[in-house]
Amino acid sequence: MSTGSTRKEPSTAPRPPVAPADPTAPAPATPSAPPSQGAPAVAAQRSQGETIAFTVAALAVCCAGMYYARELIGPVFLALTLVITVRPLTTWATRHRIPRPVSAVAAITIIYAFVLGLFAFLGIAVMQLIDTLPGYSDRFADIWAQLQNRLTQMGMSQADLVAQASKVVDTSKVVEFAQTVLEQISGIGSMLMVMGLAVIFLMFDMARIETRTRALVTLKPGLASALAGFAESVRSYWLVSTVFGLIVAVLDTMALWWLNVPMALTWGVVSFITNYIPNIGFVIGVIPPALLAIVDSGPWTALWVIVIYSLLNFVIQSVIQPKFTGDAVGLNTTVTFVSLLFWSQVIGALGAILAVPLTLFAKAILIDTDRRAAWVGLFLSAGDSPLVPIEQVDLDDVDRADLDGDGVGPADPEAGKPVIVE
């Protein structure tokens, strides 16, 4: 009994002759073999609508996460933009043989002085307003009496007035608003602490940024180009907003002093701070001096305050300032306003000030790094300028920029060293 397997011998019968193939005849259709069990399935290409829906869903999830981490993201991002803004100062100081730690400490001091000065002036304005308002209690009573008389002449009794006021002013809404204000005030201290620590770490961590930048250019040139554009844009935005904010504040203070409005210097500082809030900052800055002008000097003075503020805002902030920020920021007015509302919901009160920088960062990461998303930039940009292709950063440009401030070419101690170790 054989235990081996039988081997079938090949047939030796002669095969029939094969006719030559006709070159004009169509090739016979070969049946497609069924896919094997282990072969990966080829995903079908998504349509444009599916891609947009998936992107929007992913962004919604990211924004929800940012909302819950807003107490950390807001101060850290503010610190990042401020460090980027003062970075050229440290580079200039290092080029002039000033020790790197000394230039870093000087830059940190400038940032601290600027931020703490804004909050200090804002606190002084609030305290001055609290001290000033009790002196106008009689004037408030007279205005209220005049308002009651006017409404009575229009056929509305005092009881109806109180009833309508009680409907408009809901007690629960007042309590909720007060709680929100207290939370914002109590969170200022922790926000400043987080921002202060982030400024220190970011400033010293950027001491050797040139090597990292060259490595990023080699690995991800599109991302490097987008981040370089973001840094330049956000730096121009802060500098231009600060300069024009000072100009507007000085002119507002002079106008209020000429109109004999109390606390003219305080309201000038408030207008400077609110200049960082796009679109609606002017409205926030004009309300307090206009109300105080009504109480102190009458409605005509308040009208003049509104007119002067409106003219200054239109000429300086709506005509002149966009000429300087438009090329650098590249966002149209509608996008700026929508970003203000959006980031205020996601980040909170700090999102109103960081609306433009946050939008620029999102644009750099999501749009400027991918040519397929370049069409979205058409709806974000200001004006009708043609679409500019994404530029790639050159390593020579990085070296000439001297981000570290320690020399260019052979003078750079990092010259010739590989940025990527295989």
Side-chain angles (χ1 to χ4, degrees):
M1 182 176 180
S2 175
T3 58
S5 59
T6 59
R7 180 172 178 266
K8 186 177 180 180
E9 296 295 335
S11 176
T12 58
R15 295 181 180 179
V18 179
D22 185 5
T24 61
T30 57
S32 59
S36 61
Q37 296 293 335
V42 179
Q45 187 177 5
R46 294 192 184 98
S47 64
Q48 187 70 35
E50 292 174 342
T51 303
I52 294 176
F54 179 80
T55 304
V56 171
L59 291 177
V61 174
C62 292
C63 291
M66 294 175 62
Y67 173 79
Y68 288 103
R70 62 187 181 277
E71 295 181 358
L72 175 63
I73 294 177
V76 171
F77 189 81
L78 175 60
L80 174 63
T81 57
L82 293 178
V83 169
I84 291 174
T85 303
V86 301
R87 178 66 191 172
L89 296 179
T90 60
T91 303
W92 176 87
T94 306
R95 288 175 182 173
H96 288 76
R97 307 299 180 184
I98 298 177
R100 195 184 306 275
V102 175
S103 61
V105 171
I108 292 172
T109 304
I110 293 174
I111 294 176
Y112 281 3
F114 176 74
V115 176
L116 294 178
L118 291 182
F119 281 99
F121 278 117
L122 187 60
I124 292 173
V126 173
M127 289 188 293
Q128 287 183 349
L129 183 61
I130 294 174
D131 293 337
T132 303
L133 288 180
Y136 292 97
S137 57
D138 295 337
R139 180 60 179 166
F140 277 116
D142 293 339
I143 295 176
W144 176 248
Q146 295 177 5
L147 180 61
Q148 286 182 333
N149 293 332
R150 292 290 180 87
L151 294 176
T152 302
Q153 295 175 0
M154 296 172 59
M156 182 177 295
S157 63
Q158 185 174 0
D160 296 335
L161 179 62
V162 174
Q164 294 294 332
S166 62
K167 292 180 180 180
V168 174
V169 182
D170 190 0
T171 307
S172 61
K173 294 182 180 180
V174 174
V175 174
E176 182 180 355
F177 176 75
Q179 291 176 350
T180 304
V181 172
L182 290 177
E183 290 176 359
Q184 295 289 343
I185 294 176
S186 61
I188 289 177
S190 60
M191 184 198 73
L192 290 177
M193 183 179 66
V194 173
M195 190 210 68
L197 294 175
V199 166
I200 296 175
F201 296 142
L202 287 170
M203 186 63 68
F204 285 100
D205 198 33
M206 287 186 177
R208 293 295 179 185
I209 192 175
E210 185 173 349
T211 302
R212 301 173 186 176
T213 304
R214 295 179 72 245
L216 184 62
V217 170
T218 304
L219 295 174
K220 296 287 186 180
L223 180 60
S225 176
L227 292 179
F230 162 73
E232 182 179 358
S233 297
V234 77
R235 186 182 298 119
S236 300
Y237 172 75
W238 282 125
L239 292 177
V240 172
S241 297
T242 301
V243 171
F244 280 94
L246 287 173
I247 295 174
V248 172
V250 170
L251 296 177
D252 288 342
T253 302
M254 296 174 60
L256 295 176
W257 177 80
W258 177 66
L259 294 172
N260 292 324
V261 177
M263 304 169 54
L265 182 60
T266 301
W267 304 130
V269 174
V270 171
S271 66
F272 170 72
I273 297 174
T274 55
N275 182 70
Y276 291 107
I277 303 176
N279 298 119
I280 65 172
F282 150 73
V283 179
I284 299 175
V286 74
I287 289 177
L291 292 178
L292 194 59
I294 292 177
V295 177
D296 183 76
S297 304
W300 285 107
T301 304
L303 180 61
W304 275 110
V305 170
I306 296 174
V307 169
I308 293 176
Y309 265 65
S310 300
L311 289 176
L312 292 176
N313 175 78
F314 177 76
V315 174
I316 296 178
Q317 296 181 343
S318 300
V319 177
I320 301 177
Q321 183 173 343
K323 299 297 183 181
F324 291 86
T325 59
D327 296 336
V329 175
L331 299 177
N332 56 51
T333 307
T334 303
V335 172
T336 303
F337 178 70
V338 173
S339 66
L340 169 67
L341 302 179
F342 175 79
W343 292 115
S344 298
Q345 292 291 325
V346 176
I347 304 297
L350 194 58
I353 299 177
L354 295 176
V356 172
L358 282 168
T359 304
L360 291 174
F361 183 75
K363 178 175 177 291
I365 297 297
L366 301 176
I367 299 175
D368 296 343
T369 57
D370 191 352
R371 292 181 180 274
R372 295 171 299 177
W375 62 271
V376 183
L378 297 175
F379 301 95
L380 304 180
S381 61
D384 298 328
S385 57
L387 181 63
V388 180
I390 301 175
E391 298 178 356
Q392 304 299 330
V393 178
D394 190 3
L395 290 177
D396 295 335
D397 295 335
V398 176
D399 293 333
R400 285 191 293 269
D402 194 13
L403 302 176
D404 292 333
D406 52 2
V408 180
D412 189 353
E414 302 293 331
K417 295 182 179 180
V419 296
I420 301 175
V421 180
E422 298 294 342

